[in-house]
Amino acid sequence: MENMAFGAETAEHAVSLWLREAQVNHYDYATHTCDGSIMNCGHYLQLVGRITTRLGCGVKTGCGGSSTVWVCNYAPPYDWLSSRPY
């Protein structure tokens, strides 16, 4: 599974954007929903998925002008559609 963050200047900023999904979309652990659709919290759930044992991240600056893109891949990928993250 992969998370991407566009315009994040640091790794901390990229992670904060993914964590923010749970706050903005109000992830509810009891019902495993995010404001009507679990897909609204996919980045957050991948980030906190309990089965991840390996993580690899990369960054590219200067994409499309001056933007920065962070990409992180998780293994094994957390299946957030069928189970709770923690």
Side-chain angles (χ1 to χ4, degrees):
M1 211 42 134
E2 179 176 272
N3 281 357
M4 297 179 74
F6 296 90
E9 297 301 321
T10 64
E12 292 82 5
H13 186 208
V15 171
S16 73
L17 292 173
W18 299 324
L19 289 174
R20 189 170 183 267
E21 280 187 5
Q23 296 167 343
V24 171
N25 295 320
H26 308 287
Y27 176 67
D28 182 346
Y29 181 82
T31 61
H32 192 52
T33 60
C34 298
D35 281 352
S37 172
I38 198 64
M39 295 180 70
N40 289 338
C41 288
H43 294 110
Y44 165 74
L45 294 172
Q46 187 62 53
L47 185 67
V48 300
R50 66 177 159 214
I51 68 166
T52 298
T53 58
R54 295 182 310 276
L55 171 68
C57 295
V59 62
K60 174 69 175 159
T61 57
C63 299
S66 62
S67 48
T68 302
V69 178
W70 283 86
V71 178
C72 291
N73 287 285
Y74 304 82
Y78 166 62
D79 181 10
W80 48 267
L81 290 173
S82 63
S83 65
R84 288 181 171 76
Y86 39 84

